[in-house]
Amino acid sequence: MTQEQSPTLDLLALRKALDRSVPDALTLDPEDWTETRALGHRMLDDMLDYLRQIRARPAWQPIPTEIRERFHSGLPCGPTELAAVYREFTDTILPYSAGNVHPAFMGWVQGGGTVTGMLAEMLAGGLNANLGGRDHIPIEVERQITEWMRQAFGFPEGASGIFVTGTSIANFMALLIARNATLGRAVRQCGLDSSGERLVAYASSAAHGCIARGMEMSGLGSNMLRSIPTDEWHRIRVPELRSAIAADRDAGLRPFVIVGTAGTVDIGAIDDLEGLSDLASREGLWFHVDGALGALAILAPDLAPRLKGIERADSIAFDFHKWAQVPYDAGFLLVRDGSKQIETFAAPAAYLRRELTGTAAGSPWPCDFGPDLSRGFRALKTWFTLKVYGTAQLGAVMSRTCHLAQYLRRRVEETKELELAAPVQLNIVCFRYVCDDGDRVNARIVTDIQESGVAVPSTTTISGRLAIRAAIVNHRTQRSDVDALIDAVVKAGAREAPQKEPAAISG
Ligand SMILES: Cc1ncc(COP(=O)(O)O)c(C=O)c1O
């Protein structure tokens, strides 16, 4: 063997080549920590100023074409200074967000976030915890919140819970758990056909569209969701639900879940949860509550009695990012019998082996309770929010938004150009500018007001007619914002409504 062929020398050459291809300096940490620290502090100061002075900004503003086009550029290959990218953020992103932080934002159902939540997000970003599993305190934080919610909703020991993006996914997961609890574990491997049964779900006609979509995604089909009529308060009619269940049984189908709503998306109606839970237990059905908007009213002593019966649910889906003001996103699913949740989702994998000690301890892991393996630290901003404000203050914020909604209702009733479109039961007010061609005019009024920046209401359809919808969720909203909305609607209505021709004088 010649010297050139010596294995030792080959290895040395290989090591040198590798050293060259993996330079020590190639890390993404800052080269100049001092400069980055100063910029980071400035970002924080800027965002604190933004939140402090939010009222001075428009609630929303149209996005100029040239700004939108900035986001059609190519994938960046080379680096850009952090300061320059931050400038791009302040110039092109920050001014054109949807505006739900703003006190005059009343569209859809969106929380306003808090300074505390923002700071917690920064801490979570630095920690970069993956809450899929393993033994670390971030998971204990999530378990702590599950325990707090178990207590708040009066669920028994053995209940389980998990953070998800939002209630759409939490509802979908609840349908899967209910499906598996009904058909048994085998459905996971053998599929729906193997059971030979057709499962039927029940919700009111006012239920959120994600329930029907959840039926589709679960393979059950949205045709197997019965849409039960509601009463004049938009609550499910329990006697009609009972008849529908009987009719399905007679037809050889298998009812499996009743979905009640605590705060319907259109007007904030709360179903008779006690009546639903009685019926579900008599019929042997899973009882799920979609509480995206309203379930956390359990924290407000004056509102909580309206949720009576929720403590008997098999599962509850809700969003901390709405009424509890936690920054997006922070949806949650609470399940009475945690073993049912695990049976639906847990799936062993060799590389996810559990141990009794070491980093792989702490089983079961959150990944056993849902479909996500990689999961962010949503629990931290929620933990900060619950600790910093306490449930009393968060509950008081919810009550206050309901009082503001009643104030808006009174303003609508006192204003001759306006009429209420639905009873005001929680924090949502639906109303109309009264005129001919009302659907077109009211839709225009809403876009006019949004574009003016004065406020952001949204629209919905009530009894086949378009209505202006104001969902007061944000803790920053004041009576003056409600007054400004009323003024803006009346002014825009006068502009947009077709002027009636004066009647011709005959004779
Ligand atoms: C009653 C109801 N259910 C479900 C959802 C969907 O929640 P998310 O947007 O968090 O997925 C909403 C959203 O507003 C809702 O009001």
Side-chain angles (χ1 to χ4, degrees):
M1 189 182 275
T2 63
Q3 232 188 8
E4 282 76 17
Q5 287 165 325
S6 134
T8 326
L9 278 185
D10 274 351
L11 273 179
L12 277 176
L14 184 63
R15 180 108 129 259
K16 272 192 186 151
L18 277 176
D19 281 352
R20 272 198 304 278
S21 70
V22 188
D24 276 347
L26 195 70
T27 156
L28 301 179
D29 280 336
E31 268 172 37
D32 182 342
W33 282 88
T34 308
E35 193 183 303
T36 305
R37 179 187 303 268
L39 183 56
H41 289 179
R42 210 183 96 208
M43 288 177 181
L44 188 54
D45 280 343
D46 288 352
M47 282 317 278
L48 287 168
D49 287 343
Y50 171 78
L51 292 176
R52 190 172 174 194
Q53 295 154 11
I54 188 72
R55 192 171 273 286
R57 290 175 167 269
W60 180 82
Q61 54 183 326
I63 304 162
T65 309
E66 62 276 16
I67 295 285
R68 204 183 289 277
E69 273 168 5
R70 297 277 289 271
F71 295 88
H72 297 164
S73 61
L75 178 67
C77 178
T80 311
E81 288 292 329
L82 177 61
V85 179
Y86 177 54
R87 215 167 26 252
E88 228 184 316
F89 167 81
T90 55
D91 293 351
T92 65
I93 298 177
L94 180 134
Y96 303 106
S97 64
N100 52 302
V101 166
H102 196 284
F105 188 97
M106 302 175 203
W108 302 275
V109 180
Q110 300 204 17
T114 63
V115 168
T116 298
M118 176 187 82
L119 296 175
E121 280 280 65
M122 184 196 67
L123 302 180
L127 211 52
N128 192 26
N130 180 348
L131 274 79
R134 293 152 290 269
D135 195 21
H136 50 131
I137 286 297
I139 287 182
E140 293 301 338
V141 175
E142 182 156 346
R143 289 184 183 131
Q144 165 79 92
I145 288 165
T146 301
E147 175 58 16
W148 285 341
M149 291 303 106
R150 183 187 76 73
Q151 291 169 9
F153 286 103
F155 270 29
E157 301 266 349
S160 54
I162 192 164
F163 274 95
V164 289
T165 45
T167 293
S168 299
I169 289 298
N171 282 336
F172 171 49
M173 287 167 61
L175 289 174
L176 295 178
I177 299 168
R179 182 195 74 179
N180 290 15
T182 307
L183 296 180
R185 260 193 86 100
V187 72
R188 286 184 61 176
Q189 289 79 39
C190 307
L192 286 169
D193 286 349
S194 63
S195 74
E197 304 211 71
R198 303 263 353 238
L199 300 189
V200 196
Y202 304 84
S204 89
S205 55
H208 193 272
C210 66
I211 306 292
R213 198 175 51 219
M215 289 291 286
E216 290 168 5
M217 294 193 297
S218 63
L220 296 166
S222 44
N223 285 348
M224 301 311 278
L225 172 66
R226 302 283 179 256
S227 179
I228 307 298
T230 54
D231 63 16
E232 69 275 24
W233 297 90
H234 292 216
R235 294 173 308 194
I236 192 166
R237 289 183 190 269
V238 179
E240 300 200 16
L241 169 60
R242 193 180 305 116
S243 310
I245 293 171
D248 284 327
R249 286 204 199 282
D250 288 347
L253 303 172
R254 179 144 184 210
F256 83 109
V257 64
I258 295 174
V259 180
T261 304
T264 56
V265 66
D266 282 326
I267 73 157
I270 299 175
D271 281 337
D272 170 8
L273 302 179
E274 225 174 6
L276 291 183
S277 81
D278 283 345
L279 183 59
S281 64
R282 258 201 314 278
E283 296 280 349
L285 308 184
W286 188 275
F287 175 38
H288 173 69
V289 175
D290 173 354
L293 160 65
L296 283 171
I298 202 80
L299 305 181
D302 57 331
L303 300 173
R306 295 166 63 183
L307 298 172
K308 197 153 174 34
I310 201 168
E311 71 286 353
R312 288 160 58 191
D314 290 300
S315 49
I316 310 172
F318 55 93
D319 285 328
F320 286 106
H321 55 228
K322 292 190 166 81
W323 238 355
Q325 315 293 332
V326 172
Y328 282 86
D329 50 35
F332 201 83
L333 176 64
L334 188 70
V335 179
R336 170 175 295 275
D337 177 352
S339 69
K340 298 275 189 293
Q341 191 171 359
I342 289 209
E343 278 167 21
T344 302
F345 295 108
Y351 83 106
L352 295 175
R353 193 183 127 94
R354 315 299 159 85
E355 305 291 351
L356 292 175
T357 54
T359 316
S363 188
W365 292 349
C367 66
D368 301 323
F369 292 89
D372 292 320
L373 178 55
S374 292
R375 307 175 62 249
F377 200 179
R378 297 180 181 108
L380 189 66
K381 57 194 172 185
T382 311
W383 183 80
F384 262 89
T385 301
L386 288 166
K387 280 179 89 82
V388 167
Y389 303 110
T391 56
Q393 206 178 338
L394 293 172
V397 164
M398 295 175 207
S399 301
R400 195 176 150 277
T401 59
C402 292
H403 290 134
L404 277 173
Q406 291 300 336
Y407 175 68
L408 174 52
R409 173 188 61 79
R410 287 197 299 277
R411 289 288 332 258
V412 168
E413 285 171 346
E414 289 161 10
T415 306
K416 68 177 185 336
E417 293 89 342
L418 306 178
E419 67 177 10
L420 274 184
V424 180
Q425 303 171 68
L426 216 58
N427 58 343
I428 302 180
V429 184
C430 293
F431 62 103
R432 289 187 197 96
Y433 186 86
V434 184
C435 60
D436 293 339
D437 200 8
D439 284 5
R440 186 193 63 79
V441 171
N442 280 283
R444 281 299 302 263
I445 289 172
V446 166
T447 48
D448 280 2
I449 294 174
Q450 290 167 349
E451 292 185 352
S452 74
V454 166
V456 178
S458 59
T459 63
T460 191
T461 304
I462 310 261
S463 309
R465 291 170 62 203
L466 189 127
I468 301 172
R469 180 169 162 285
I472 305 175
V473 187
N474 192 320
H475 58 99
R476 302 180 178 96
T477 306
Q478 307 278 354
R479 277 160 67 121
S480 57
D481 299 303
V482 169
D483 291 335
L485 174 68
I486 292 279
D487 290 351
V489 169
V490 171
K491 280 200 191 107
R495 256 193 333 268
E496 298 289 349
Q499 299 299 310
K500 286 215 173 94
E501 293 295 323
I505 299 165
S506 57

